[in-house]
Amino acid sequence: MKILIVGAGQAGIQIAVSLRQGNFTGSITLIAKENYIPYQRPPLSKAFLRGDCGVEKLYLRTDKALENLDLDIRLGTQVAAIDRQGRRVEVDGQWLDYDKLAIATGTRPRPLPVAGAELDGVHMLRGIDDALSLKNAIEKAQNVVIVGGGFIGLEVAATASAASKNVTVIEAVERVMQRAVAPQISAWFEQMHRDYGVKILTGTGVEALQGENKVEAVRLADGTEVPADVVLVGVGAIPNSEIAADSGLSCPNGIEVDVFGATADPDVFAAGDCTWHPNQYAGGMFRLESVQNAVEQGKIVAKAMLGEREKYNAVPWFWSDQGSAKLQTTGLPVDVESTVIRGSMNMDKFTVFHLRGGRLLAADSVNSPADHMAARRLIGALVSAEDLADESTPLKSLLPDGKTPNV
Ligand code: FAD
């Protein structure tokens, strides 16, 4: 059997590894658009941008480990089209056959739909080349403006301010990281960044990026002009689902798959950031952008390709390092009814729990890795708010007979 994987990121390499772990001895071809062997992206806005690690530290497998996997990896090539009827894909004008196909094409940054977005000095961050160019630009800059107060934008803000740059973060909605975390977490991080000297403007739209050839300022909706030598646009991501959609697969917000990572075509699967999948923690179809999702869905897809049907039901989790603070989240805060805090916001070590109907939906931990690890096992459990808030009650004692609850 010939398996072809499109995209050699976190999910793509996981599918290949899991196939071999599942004793698959057939051929595996990995089509990689980028010129790098599979690598992890999280350090690109953290240690790599700070200069604390080099490219080789990003690689998810050593050359030797890749060799042992016996993969046909084609770097710097991309799939332009999928012919599902003929079970083949178009790569560099040639057609490659497959028996089973996995699409793990990830996302790309959402462009800022304003005048001047194409000027020199305006950056987006997804891959190693983007990070190298942003790092170089920040080093030379005095004024760094970040459009979008999400995880990536705030991580870059912390790095740039630590390098003594004037940093402004412009966020369109009322608070930073609004879609992902509790209001208390947003408020705590906004204060932390302000303490570092970062200017944070929330509820503020960007009207245009100004400059002759190179960006010089960001014009806000109220007419204010913020000087900028470098602008990072971090306003979300778009799933790379066009090749799937063009082949007739349903792609409402990413490639639609079932709990096994299968599309409507029995020979085509998808995993990672590019999927629109049933997620019990979201209570319906969802698109997740996280290492956790890419890895766990990759494993499920490999199993499904080998005929072993295991449902995807992994608890979501995520992390973000901003300055000296570590944020870790688990679960999904969908239709939250109440929140409760454990620990102390003033002591910079606390967790916000999100509840609905007496059950734990999600938890956002700041500098509290033990709470985070325990919360991952508690997601979905019936819990009392008093117990969660009481630091003398160990979180793991709240698990019914120590078992992970079913949601
Ligand atoms: P990707 O890793 O993006 O891989 C997809 C690959 O497919 C890419 O190399 C792409 O070029 C390639 N491709 C696309 N189209 C084609 C084609 N037609 N043919 C061939 N190849 C193609 N997650 C966390 O959990 N924690 C973090 O702290 C965190 N920090 C992040 C920081 C940054 C700067 C970024 C960009 C992401 C971060 N993430 C983080 C998200 C995490 O990296 C992604 O969720 C993860 O990489 C998703 O894996 P994936 O395989 O789905 O996609």
Side-chain angles (χ1 to χ4, degrees):
M1 179 160 76
K2 277 193 240 166
I3 291 186
L4 198 141
I5 304 169
V6 193
Q10 196 91 45
I13 187 66
Q14 185 61 52
I15 295 170
V17 167
S18 297
L19 284 169
R20 291 295 184 225
Q21 284 170 346
N23 296 323
F24 175 67
T25 53
S27 88
I28 303 177
T29 303
L30 201 51
I31 308 292
K33 186 170 168 184
E34 295 177 81
N35 265 313
Y36 299 96
I37 57 172
Y39 66 91
Q40 48 171 333
R41 295 175 199 280
L44 298 181
S45 48
K46 309 176 181 74
F48 186 76
L49 195 67
R50 286 196 301 271
D52 292 349
C53 78
V55 171
E56 60 298 336
K57 279 267 190 294
L58 302 176
Y59 294 140
L60 288 164
R61 292 290 181 290
T62 60
D63 285 338
K64 182 82 199 140
L66 286 177
E67 208 180 299
N68 290 340
L69 286 169
D70 187 20
L71 309 174
D72 174 8
I73 304 189
R74 314 228 180 149
L75 298 181
T77 54
Q78 63 174 308
V79 169
I82 302 170
D83 167 13
R84 292 195 292 117
Q85 216 140 35
R87 288 214 208 129
R88 55 184 196 155
V89 298
E90 189 190 347
V91 180
D92 293 340
Q94 295 192 321
W95 289 95
L96 292 182
D97 295 339
Y98 65 80
D99 296 308
K100 301 265 179 218
L101 176 71
I103 309 173
T105 44
T107 60
R108 60 185 180 276
R110 185 181 295 285
L112 194 64
V114 301
E118 306 300 327
L119 285 169
D120 268 6
V122 179
H123 294 251
M124 300 208 268
L125 179 55
R126 182 74 195 173
I128 290 178
D129 293 338
D130 301 333
L132 287 170
S133 137
L134 178 64
K135 184 170 179 297
N136 186 34
I138 290 177
E139 272 162 16
K140 293 188 196 133
Q142 204 37 254
N143 299 310
V144 177
V145 177
I146 291 160
V147 182
F151 296 115
I152 291 177
L154 293 175
E155 287 173 0
V156 174
T159 300
S161 74
S164 307
K165 309 298 174 183
N166 300 326
V167 184
T168 307
V169 174
I170 300 163
E171 170 53 60
V173 298
E174 285 312 306
R175 59 185 178 90
V176 298
M177 302 180 283
Q178 180 165 293
R179 268 187 314 140
V181 299
Q184 299 94 322
I185 298 284
S186 300
W188 189 90
F189 273 93
E190 283 175 18
Q191 190 54 51
M192 183 199 79
H193 285 287
R194 288 190 172 119
D195 291 346
Y196 285 149
V198 175
K199 207 174 194 181
I200 298 203
L201 309 174
T202 53
T204 307
V206 168
E207 208 161 76
L209 307 184
Q210 299 175 320
E212 280 297 307
N213 297 311
K214 193 178 172 308
V215 71
E216 289 164 19
V218 175
R219 193 170 78 239
L220 307 181
D222 67 2
T224 312
E225 291 179 11
V226 183
D229 308 313
V230 173
V231 172
L232 172 69
V233 175
V235 294
I238 303 171
N240 292 323
S241 52
E242 289 80 357
I243 51 168
D246 291 348
S247 79
L249 292 170
S250 166
C251 299
N253 172 18
I255 304 164
E256 185 170 338
V257 293
D258 64 14
V259 279
F260 307 107
T263 66
D265 181 328
D267 296 322
V268 182
F269 300 77
D273 283 14
C274 66
T275 65
W276 177 241
H277 64 270
N279 193 301
Q280 61 176 324
Y281 300 92
M285 298 299 284
F286 207 71
R287 202 169 60 72
L288 266 177
E289 292 169 17
S290 73
V291 168
Q292 171 274 323
N293 177 62
V295 169
E296 298 300 333
Q297 238 182 4
K299 291 179 187 169
I300 293 293
V301 160
K303 285 191 175 165
M305 287 178 129
L306 299 178
E308 193 187 327
R309 286 158 71 80
E310 184 178 315
K311 285 186 182 173
Y312 178 65
N313 66 357
V315 174
W317 55 265
F318 186 86
W319 77 97
S320 173
D321 298 329
Q322 299 176 27
S324 58
K326 184 164 207 74
L327 169 66
Q328 291 167 292
T329 68
T330 183
L332 295 172
V334 176
D335 299 331
V336 175
E337 284 172 0
S338 60
T339 58
V340 55
I341 297 182
R342 181 183 181 95
S344 159
M345 290 178 74
N346 291 334
M347 300 291 284
D348 304 336
K349 191 173 159 50
F350 65 103
T351 293
V352 179
F353 294 99
H354 304 246
L355 300 162
R356 187 181 64 222
R359 286 188 188 274
L360 183 63
L361 279 185
D364 310 330
S365 303
V366 176
N367 301 326
S368 306
D371 280 4
H372 169 72
M373 291 312 290
R376 275 202 217 171
R377 300 179 59 219
L378 268 177
I379 297 297
L382 278 171
V383 281
S384 96
E386 292 69 32
D387 285 343
L388 288 174
D390 177 7
E391 286 188 89
S392 67
T393 303
L395 288 178
K396 60 181 181 205
S397 73
L398 304 182
L399 277 174
D401 56 37
K403 292 203 187 86
T404 303
N406 288 322
V407 176

